[in-house]
Amino acid sequence: MNIPGDPTAAAVRTTCPYCGVGCGVMADVAADGSVSVRGDPDHPANFGKLCSKGSALGETTGLDGRMLYPEIAGRQACWDDALDLVAKRFTDTIAAHGPDSVAFYVSGQLLTEDYYVANKLMKGFIGSGNIDTNSRLCMASSVAGHRRAFGEDVVPGTYEDFEEADLVVLTGSNTAWCHPILYQRLLAARRTRGTKIIVIDPRRTATAQECDLHLAIDPGTDVLLFNGVLAHLARSNVIDQNYVGAATSGFAEALSAALADAPSSASVATGCGLAEADVQLFFQLFAGTERTVTVYSQGVNQSSRGTDKVNAIVNCHLATGRIGRPGMGPFSVTGQPNAMGGREVGGLANQLAAHMGFESPEDIDRVARFWRAPNIASRPGLKAVDLFRAVGEGRIKALWVMGTNPAVSMPDAGRVRAALKSCEFVVVSDITRTDTTRYADVYLPAAGWGEKDGTVTNSERRISRQRAFLPPPGEARPDWRIVCDVARRMGFGDAFAYDGPAAIFREHAALSTYENGGRRVFDIGAMAMDEAAYDAMPPRHWPVAEESVSHHRLFADGRFPTPDGRARFVAVRQDRLARTVDATFPIALNTGRLRDQWHTMTRTGRVPRLAANTPEAMIDISAADAGAYGLADGDLARVTSAQGTARAKARITDTVRPGQAFLPMHWSGSFATNAAAGSISTPDVDPISGQPELKHTPVHIAREEINWTAVLLTRRDLRPTGFVHWSRHAIEGGWAYDLCGTESPDQGILLARSLLPDVRPEHLVEYRDRHGRTYRAASLDEAGTLAEVMFVAPTGELPPRDWLQLLIGSRQPLSAAERMALLSGRSPVPMASTGRIVCSCFNVGVNQIASAVAAGCSTVEEVGQSLRAGTNCGSCRSEIRTIIDAGRLQAAE
Ligand SMILES: Nc1nc2c(c(=O)[nH]1)N[C@H]1C(S)=C(S)[C@@H](COP(=O)(O)OP(=O)(O)OC[C@H]3O[C@@H](n4cnc5c(=O)[nH]c(N)nc54)[C@H](O)[C@@H]3O)O[C@H]1N2
Ligand SMILES: Nc1nc2c(c(=O)[nH]1)N[C@H]1C(S)=C(S)[C@@H](COP(=O)(O)OP(=O)(O)OC[C@H]3O[C@@H](n4cnc5c(=O)[nH]c(N)nc54)[C@H](O)[C@@H]3O)O[C@H]1N2
Ligand code: SF4
Ligand SMILES: [Mo]
């Protein structure tokens, strides 16, 4: 699409496919096919800014690793055969075993149009509720909490509320890393407004490092803390009695539960593991600040108490009437780019469509009539954890996975992999090969970001267009089309005869307004538009029931979509977590995200500058626990839970408390052996929302006795087998593999060498020491450029690799001096080492920042002026501050 007046006429306006902030992106395709991106200055979510992941989007559109053709049983097939087979197996299974013997497991990363047709096919035409989504692992507790309190799954506020608040309470949200542009908007507002920021998180995250008060609560105790707030509000007489009386119900019960739970700030402090003074300060700030926004994400949702946590928070906002007004409100930030869109179409097994549910026979009837659905599901389907359990038990015999990688991201993932393996028929639609596609009987290549058209809805209910600017590679097709093609083959052609995403969106909009009469807040009736208007659609908030009425902020009038129009307080009590630590599993394992990686790394994992900040899987552990388990920094830790075992390098840090550890969720089997958090995470779920407790798994940690380590730099894409541990990260022109093992060093050398390719002797240089402890090899290609390097050595004795990494990337023929120097790992011409990358937007390393500090830079701004580090997305600013502080400390010693 050409944008009038734009200097780069080819730029296409689209939306970032990562987090729920939903930033606008302008994409340019150069003559050579390369893609560059920049923030869309006119998009109201980001006003031109992009974070490190968004800025690197242009580097993810290449064809490396993409799957270009359908496959049946691992062999390339034509689309007709693949689609026929999927339709036949689903139809046969349903005929033999009924509609509940099949299921779809889909994703908050699908576009609304993809999601809409998948949901319509399963619930309306197959006639089962068995479509669930990875949003079950992500947003289900917020959805359930909203429905309990408001009667509908609605986020009342907008991003402007972050900027108009005087107090922002970030609860279980590492906003600096996970919603970076929204966080930067908050920090910018704080600079002028003086906003107070409180972070409630057991870890001292990058977000916590910037805040005014960090409450490092004991895992899972948020209900108690917010019950404490409610009790304090009552004690301090700041309850808005008028609002409570006019707009809510259930206050007395909620307050008495809160008072019973949290009789005093001292009892809250004890129960949450906090200092009483900090608890009092929090209570006072909350009570005394009218313009308060409470933001929450996975530290709240991913819990066996998740729904209660949400309601404990919402209760405090209802009690003070701080909802639906500027700078106030409970604010659940969504994770995935279209988590919200998925909730709108009813992608969760317990929702129907367009915010209608199975609880109401009228809703079921209405949706059936609208769809002309012959066989609509009349009850909810299985939620993700139960769904995979049913797959494992053979109750679900045909499963279609779209746009998610459950073999890695589900809790108790080993059991999920076993279920996928045992399932009679598994279909996977993805853009690349993943740990899940290994189990696919039929693989369907989907078109990815930049190749498909549709809409997504961000955390503030803003619907934006994703637009194509590249042709789908090979035979890849958009997901909506794949689903409709299967539906047609199953005999439902009339209901799936869309000519494009605009037609699907039109129907979605029409359903939202169908017999609505103001009962359902989700009404986008006025957005049922033609193709041209859809193409040009600017980002806008829902609801849009009528073109002229804008509902920027919801619930401003104190009316809620409940039968009596009142919001509901929910009486909640803090009681025990589903599972707690004990003598066998004494450490509470927390899992979550890193700044520069996206989930199972299928896209971000291929971008060298996104790998540079944290190249290997690390488990964060306190010095006290490391001491107790005999672990030194960088040792390989074996982490065992009731579900399984994972291995990661220990990082000793004061950001986690003794008794806790943190493992990122990102490292799938494609990037490391056995480092996935999912394999050890508990499948315990919140009883109301069915969301798993991914933030709290009791584990045991031990040191793995390592006798050799190795690094392999290569252009080849390898999945080594037979190793105790390996982990890889993208470098320019190839991959760096870190390997290690418990075998003797000479055995380790044998094992590691098995990874080297057969090359002609004249292309290989090798060195082995007399004692068989170290081995070094490098191979050149025909053009005389460096193709592979392998070093094997006892722990801590590997030579440097920075220079060799540059050589792999440069693809320049080596000089004689360089060839001579290869096995030393040191450039014949001295070069400064940048060190681990801190700012991935401008590729600035820790050594460069430390030098700038030594040369006199004493603030983050000065470092930015000198190196540009921290001046784009800003997510590395807290790390830069830590380096400045360390420099200061060193200077003082
Ligand atoms: N860089 C990056 N950004 C992302 C993503 C990504 O993969 N990478 N994914 C996106 C998605 S889908 C999601 S859902 C969001 C998630 O965004 P966040 O929710 O911000 O991220 P997490 O790291 O999963 O968890 C948040 C915090 O919860 C804390 N926590 C753990 N237990 C508790 C507890 O009992 N109480 C409290 N109060 N806090 C606790 C953890 O220590 C962690 O710091 O991020 C989105 N953005
Ligand atoms: N231990 C632990 N586990 C967690 C979490 C945690 O904090 N801790 N967080 C949970 C949360 S909040 C989430 S959201 C999940 C995320 O978990 P997943 O959904 O499994 O993660 P992704 O890696 O984003 O998977 C998306 C898949 O879709 C593919 N894809 C990309 N674009 C397209 C497309 O257009 N069409 C199709 N068909 N496929 C596409 C990608 O290649 C990738 O394989 O993980 C959950 N699991
Ligand atoms: S904050 Fe970053 S990842 Fe999230 S939408 Fe914006 S650019 Fe994308
Ligand atoms: Mo998520």
Side-chain angles (χ1 to χ4, degrees), residues 506-540:
R506 225 170 10 248
E507 183 178 308
H508 168 56
L511 174 57
S512 76
T513 203
Y514 186 60
E515 298 176 2
N516 187 330
R519 279 183 296 273
R520 307 185 302 274
V521 178
F522 179 68
D523 185 336
I524 54 167
M527 291 181 82
M529 60 192 113
D530 65 17
E531 191 90 26
Y534 182 77
D535 265 350
M537 187 179 124
R540 64 188 300 179

Side-chain angles (χ1 to χ4, degrees), residues 16 18-23 49-51 53-55 178-182:
C16 176
Y18 297 126
C19 84
V21 178
C23 297
K49 288 199 167 271
L50 292 178
C51 77
K53 294 178 299 301
S55 310
C178 296
H179 297 89
I181 297 301
L182 187 53

